[in-house]
Amino acid sequence: MKLGKVEFCHCLQLIALFLCFSGMSQAELSRSRSKPYFQTGRSRTKRSWVWNQFFVLEEYMGSDPLYVGKLHSDVDKGDGSIKYILSGEGASSIFIIDENTGDIHATKRLDREEQAYYTLRAQALDRLTNKPVEPESEFVIKIQDINDNEPKFLDGPYTAGVPEMSPVGTSVVQVTATDADDPTYGNSARVVYSILQGQPYFSVEPKTGVIKTALPNMDREAKDQYLLVIQAKDMVGQNGGLSGTTSVTVTLTDVNDNPPRFPRSSYQYNVPESLPIASVVARIKAADADIGANAEMEYKIVDGDGLGIFKISVDKETQEGIITIQKELDFEAKTSYTLRIEAANKDADPRFLSLGPFSDTTTVKIIVEDVDEPPVFSSPLYPMEVSEATQVGNIIGTVAAHDPDSSNSPVRYSIDRNTDLERYFNIDANSGVITTAKSLDRETNAVHNITVLAMESQNPSQVGRGYVAITILDINDNAPEFAMDYETTVCENAQPGQVIQKISAVDKDEPSNGHQFYFSLTTDATNNHNFSLKDNKDNTASILTRRNGFRRQEQSVYYLPIFIVDSGSPSLSSTNTLTIRVCDCDADGIAQTCNAEAYVLPAGLSTGALIAILACVLTLLVLILLIVTMRRRKKEPLIFDEERDIRENIVRYDDEGGGEEDTEAFDMAALRNLNVIRDTKTRRDVTPEIQFLSRPAFKSIPDNVIFREFIWERLKEADVDPGAPPYDSLQTYAFEGNGSVAESLSSLDSISSNSDQNYDYLSDWGPRFKRLADMYGTGQESLYS
């Protein structure tokens, strides 16, 4: 059907009118909320337009601007006198308005997820005066949602755990997907969940996303981990909806649903009988498919003949049962043991007790192996006693040891001499009888602890040790003596019967009933008139004076012999001398001075005379010190003045020895006579007590030995010479030995001789002999040229 120009114009008008009315329907008028509008010079009129909102579909993909709506004022008569202005969010950049018609278009694609609505302001102005004919009105352009966003799991991927053997419907974890579309408009944001992978073990609730178990009795020991894929789809899952997925890793956690079981019903272990106590005999382990705390074990010995010999404990790390020894093993006593051992879980789960007993038992047989053991003594310690008066060779006691092995080899005995360094005792190698080898002294060593070694005759490397404690019994073999060195004094004004000293005694012996000493004066001192002795009967005695008027100038010291007897059987005695000094005492009887020399001075000396004598003595001492000091300085030739040249030495050359190295001449005849005995010369400045050892006569021995002995003799003389300076260098070459082929090289001797010897070989001896070669190498003519 073809339309003419007139019909086409009418059609466009109808479309425009429809769009206008549709715009009006979208831009609802609300006069109820209108505000008064005042114009200058006019009466008050009511607002004739208030815009609420327009709706625009998001994600428009057309090439032309998207029509949004139309603004129209009642004042507009359609003559072009009114123009429309748009301001606010997106004005001019996103939304444009036709100022003549008020049509609003969107120039860009809109995304509701970026901005859901725009707030704009519309203004109608008089085109000529540019003044508003309507008050400014605010309206909203709301972006209508379309389903352009898929659901997303923001917290994915998920990991979760659920106990194994859980019943069907046990909740595992909840997953949540979010959709950026508008949840209030349509079904674009309404999500349902489904499981794509993980069936038939797990299921998911469509609306909540809760994942649950779907199969009973899932066993961790069979499979402990599952990977689930969960899908979330919008539009309530309808066709055309968008979807997103996430993964969920579900791990089955362990429960104690497996009892322990021993892999074998019996075990056998061989152990040597020499295994020390607390040693590990064996390790056994019951298998448990569970892990962690559900696999922790407890072991115990429930039966058998080794209950007291062995014990079992658990290794916390490996959950093994460790069997250890509690008592020593003896192959000769018992060769094998049988143990019944039970293993049980530490914590059983009551839900699974119906599966069977959560324990198991096994039998462990332990075979004891024979080991060649060292001899064993019948007693760990042998106490013995012997008197210190016993004779050498007397028997003290006997030790006994035997071979614990079935072979019962003979045993030989010996004493460990590290425990008997003085070798006081001997032992019979075959019988074990211990005898004395030396005289014993209890006061030196009261107890001897020795070690006896017992060795197998067939295998000496097997050595047993026994311990013997020998106590030495005391006899009365020590006489009593003073308990200390007494310093006894008596005052010159002492009265008769006065106690001047109390003495006691000691005895190295230790009688069983204790000491009892008896004191008395010796027979020679009984009748003395100076002192007496009183025995106090308590192992002490008192010394008393028998007269008064002791005088130091007459006798300053008295010696009093005291006789002491002990109570031993037989008793021993000793005589101890007490020294008593006479002293000058004060009024309280305290000694002031005990020197007797003051009384031998002449009675007529005054204090001044004594001071003069003392001054003279001091003067003599000073003179003696000065003389000694001067003599010492004379004997120190090495202390030189700073101005003195220490290189000024007088050297004598009176023999043909070492040339300028010689510092002392020697008697060559004496040196060459090897049979002459050199006399030792005593220095006059050395005290007679210091004697030099005479040197033995030289014998006919090789020259080099003779020369070495000669030098050593000279060196010894210098060492013992107290007047020799410490830096003296002894370099003596007076003695050259015998058989020298060089003889003398003296130039003086050569000139004086008429020898026809050829000296041309001197030029071959080097630059040191160049002078001699020039003198003798060319003959007599060159000498005087």
Side-chain angles (χ1 to χ4, degrees):
M1 180 178 179
K2 297 183 179 178
L3 297 177
K5 293 183 178 179
V6 177
E7 288 81 5
F8 180 75
C9 291
H10 286 296
C11 182
L12 288 177
Q13 290 176 357
L14 289 174
I15 293 173
L17 184 61
F18 174 77
L19 292 175
C20 182
F21 278 107
S22 64
M24 290 296 291
S25 65
Q26 294 179 10
E28 297 176 355
L29 296 174
S30 179
R31 298 183 181 273
S32 62
R33 294 186 298 169
S34 63
K35 295 182 180 179
Y37 176 70
F38 297 94
Q39 288 184 330
T40 306
R42 294 186 181 182
S43 62
R44 187 185 70 176
T45 62
K46 295 183 179 179
R47 270 183 67 180
S48 59
W49 68 333
V50 175
W51 306 97
N52 288 335
Q53 64 182 6
F54 293 99
F55 292 93
V56 179
L57 195 65
E58 70 169 332
E59 304 291 347
Y60 172 71
M61 304 296 293
S63 59
D64 297 329
L66 177 63
Y67 179 75
V68 178
K70 184 180 181 65
L71 299 179
H72 183 73
S73 175
D74 294 342
V75 182
D76 188 2
K77 303 300 182 180
D79 55 1
S81 61
I82 302 299
K83 68 175 181 180
Y84 299 94
I85 298 175
L86 193 64
S87 63
E89 291 181 324
S92 300
S93 60
I94 298 176
F95 303 102
I96 59 175
I97 189 170
D98 189 333
E99 63 178 13
N100 296 319
T101 62
D103 294 333
I104 301 174
H105 292 80
T107 63
K108 293 183 180 180
R109 189 181 72 174
L110 302 176
D111 188 359
R112 190 200 67 85
E113 285 70 41
E114 292 183 2
Q115 188 165 346
Y117 61 90
Y118 296 85
T119 303
L120 294 97
R121 294 180 298 277
Q123 182 76 62
L125 302 176
D126 186 286
R127 188 178 295 275
L128 296 177
T129 62
N130 206 29
K131 292 182 179 180
V133 298
E134 292 282 356
E136 187 179 59
S137 179
E138 184 177 271
F139 65 96
V140 174
I141 299 177
K142 187 173 183 182
I143 311 302
Q144 275 191 333
D145 184 46
I146 64 172
N147 189 19
D148 60 342
N149 291 279
E150 73 278 2
K152 294 182 179 179
F153 293 91
L154 301 180
D155 297 330
Y158 296 85
T159 57
V162 63
E164 64 174 331
M165 309 302 288
S166 296
V168 176
T170 302
S171 178
V172 179
V173 69
Q174 183 179 16
V175 296
T176 303
T178 59
D179 196 319
D181 294 325
D182 189 358
T184 63
Y185 179 76
N187 297 324
S188 298
R190 295 181 62 186
V191 178
V192 294
Y193 300 92
S194 62
I195 183 168
L196 301 182
Q197 179 180 325
Q199 296 172 329
Y201 304 102
F202 299 93
S203 63
V204 62
E205 289 188 355
K207 294 183 178 181
T208 63
V210 175
I211 300 174
K212 297 181 179 181
T213 59
L215 283 181
N217 302 326
M218 284 192 293
D219 191 2
R220 184 199 65 84
E221 288 71 35
K223 186 177 182 180
D224 62 347
Q225 199 171 78
Y226 297 86
L227 180 62
L228 282 62
V229 177
I230 305 299
Q231 181 189 66
K233 190 174 184 181
D234 58 15
M235 299 298 293
V236 201
Q238 297 176 1
N239 292 333
L242 302 178
S243 64
T245 60
T246 188
S247 64
V248 181
T249 302
V250 180
T251 302
L252 296 183
T253 58
D254 186 55
V255 298
N256 193 6
D257 60 337
N258 292 279
R261 291 290 180 263
F262 282 105
R264 297 166 55 183
S265 60
S266 64
Y267 299 84
Q268 179 174 315
Y269 299 94
N270 294 350
V271 296
E273 62 174 333
S274 60
L275 205 62
I277 294 176
S279 299
V280 176
V281 175
R283 287 175 174 261
I284 60 175
K285 183 178 182 181
D288 193 331
D290 297 323
I291 59 175
N294 297 320
E296 292 183 356
M297 299 286 183
E298 288 182 342
Y299 296 90
K300 62 181 178 180
I301 302 175
V302 296
D303 196 9
D305 54 0
L307 289 174
I309 306 298
F310 304 93
K311 73 173 183 178
I312 188 168
S313 58
V314 63
D315 187 331
K316 300 296 184 182
E317 298 294 331
T318 63
Q319 297 302 314
E320 291 178 309
I322 305 174
I323 303 175
T324 55
I325 299 177
Q326 284 185 299
K327 294 183 180 180
E328 292 183 351
L329 302 178
D330 188 358
F331 172 82
E332 288 71 28
K334 192 172 180 61
T335 59
S336 66
Y337 297 89
T338 302
L339 305 175
R340 189 73 177 170
I341 297 177
E342 179 186 77
N345 278 139
K346 197 171 183 180
D347 298 313
D349 194 332
R351 296 178 298 170
F352 306 105
L353 292 179
S354 60
L355 300 178
F358 277 73
S359 63
D360 194 18
T361 58
T362 188
T363 301
V364 177
K365 188 174 183 180
I366 299 174
I367 306 299
V368 181
E369 296 178 343
D370 188 22
V371 175
D372 190 8
E373 300 175 90
V376 178
F377 283 86
S378 58
S379 174
L381 178 64
Y382 292 88
M384 299 180 183
E385 293 182 348
V386 62
S387 173
E388 63 177 328
T390 188
Q391 299 297 320
V392 175
N394 284 358
I395 296 175
I396 301 174
T398 304
V399 297
H402 69 281
D403 183 7
D405 299 317
S406 56
S407 59
N408 195 17
S409 300
V411 175
R412 296 183 61 83
Y413 302 94
S414 64
I415 294 177
D416 184 356
R417 291 305 176 184
N418 291 325
T419 61
D420 184 27
L421 297 176
E422 300 295 331
R423 295 181 176 267
Y424 283 107
F425 307 98
N426 287 329
I427 189 170
D428 188 273
N430 297 316
S431 63
V433 175
I434 299 176
T435 57
T436 56
K438 284 184 178 181
S439 299
L440 303 177
D441 185 8
R442 188 203 64 84
E443 287 71 36
T444 302
N445 193 350
V447 178
H448 295 266
N449 294 304
I450 64 174
T451 300
V452 177
L453 307 178
M455 294 176 289
E456 291 184 13
S457 300
Q458 298 179 359
N459 186 7
S461 63
Q462 295 296 331
V463 179
R465 285 174 170 77
Y467 303 96
V468 181
I470 302 175
T471 302
I472 309 302
L473 301 179
D474 187 38
I475 63 171
N476 191 26
D477 58 343
N478 291 277
E481 57 187 12
F482 278 159
M484 58 181 293
D485 293 332
Y486 294 102
E487 296 181 358
T488 306
T489 60
V490 60
C491 295
E492 289 182 310
N493 57 356
Q495 300 298 319
Q498 182 177 344
V499 176
I500 62 173
Q501 184 67 58
K502 188 174 183 180
I503 61 174
S504 61
V506 293
D507 194 330
K508 295 180 180 179
D509 297 320
E510 292 185 0
S512 56
N513 297 326
H515 289 289
Q516 181 63 47
F517 301 113
Y518 304 96
F519 301 87
S520 63
L521 296 178
T522 61
T523 304
D524 298 338
T526 302
N527 297 324
N528 78 88
H529 303 287
N530 300 314
F531 306 98
S532 63
L533 183 143
K534 177 184 178 183
D535 193 338
N536 298 323
K537 307 300 182 183
D538 59 354
N539 290 339
T540 64
S542 299
I543 308 300
L544 298 87
T545 57
R546 300 187 66 177
R547 66 180 180 88
N548 57 4
F550 293 94
R551 293 177 60 82
R552 283 178 291 171
Q553 61 270 28
E554 295 179 358
Q555 185 173 350
S556 61
V557 179
Y558 293 88
Y559 299 99
L560 186 66
I562 299 175
F563 187 69
I564 308 175
V565 182
D566 61 20
S567 58
S569 179
S571 61
L572 295 179
S573 62
S574 66
T575 299
N576 299 264
T577 301
L578 182 66
T579 301
I580 304 173
R581 295 185 179 276
V582 180
C583 299
D584 181 22
C585 302
D586 58 11
D588 297 328
I590 299 175
Q592 299 297 318
T593 178
C594 298
N595 295 327
E597 288 76 5
Y599 289 91
V600 301
L601 296 174
L605 290 178
S606 63
T607 303
L610 291 175
I611 294 174
I613 293 173
L614 183 59
C616 293
V617 171
L618 292 176
T619 303
L620 290 175
L621 289 176
V622 171
L623 290 175
I624 292 172
L625 289 175
L626 289 175
I627 293 172
V628 172
T629 303
M630 294 298 294
R631 294 192 62 182
R632 284 187 178 181
R633 289 189 175 182
K634 289 181 180 180
K635 291 183 179 181
E636 294 178 357
L638 298 179
I639 302 177
F640 302 103
D641 296 332
E642 294 182 357
E643 299 178 357
R644 182 180 177 184
D645 189 356
I646 62 174
R647 293 173 296 178
E648 296 176 357
N649 297 316
I650 299 176
V651 182
R652 293 181 301 170
Y653 299 95
D654 57 352
D655 67 289
E656 181 188 320
E660 63 182 7
E661 294 287 341
D662 279 344
T663 57
E664 186 176 358
F666 301 93
D667 186 358
M668 298 302 297
L671 287 175
R672 297 187 184 279
N673 187 0
L674 305 182
N675 296 322
V676 175
I677 299 177
R678 301 177 64 86
D679 295 333
T680 303
K681 297 180 180 180
T682 305
R683 295 174 57 92
R684 286 178 295 174
D685 57 348
V686 180
T687 57
E689 288 78 11
I690 301 177
Q691 298 293 334
F692 296 111
L693 298 177
S694 60
R695 295 187 301 274
F698 291 104
K699 298 180 181 180
S700 297
I701 55 179
D703 290 345
N704 58 344
V705 178
I706 296 173
F707 187 80
R708 185 186 308 112
E709 291 184 358
F710 174 80
I711 294 300
W712 275 109
E713 292 295 333
R714 281 296 184 183
L715 183 60
K716 290 179 181 178
E717 286 186 3
D719 288 341
V720 298
D721 186 1
Y727 52 84
D728 178 39
S729 176
L730 181 64
Q731 298 176 352
T732 301
Y733 302 96
F735 178 60
E736 298 181 0
N738 297 327
S740 174
V741 297
E743 296 183 353
S744 176
L745 297 178
S746 172
S747 60
L748 298 177
D749 189 19
S750 300
I751 295 175
S752 62
S753 65
N754 295 323
S755 175
D756 296 333
Q757 185 176 356
N758 185 9
Y759 295 100
D760 292 341
Y761 60 86
L762 293 176
S763 60
D764 299 331
W765 285 12
R768 293 186 179 182
F769 295 90
K770 183 176 182 303
R771 183 65 176 172
L772 292 177
D774 294 341
M775 295 173 63
Y776 298 102
T778 57
Q780 289 262 345
E781 294 81 10
S782 62
L783 184 63
Y784 301 102
S785 59

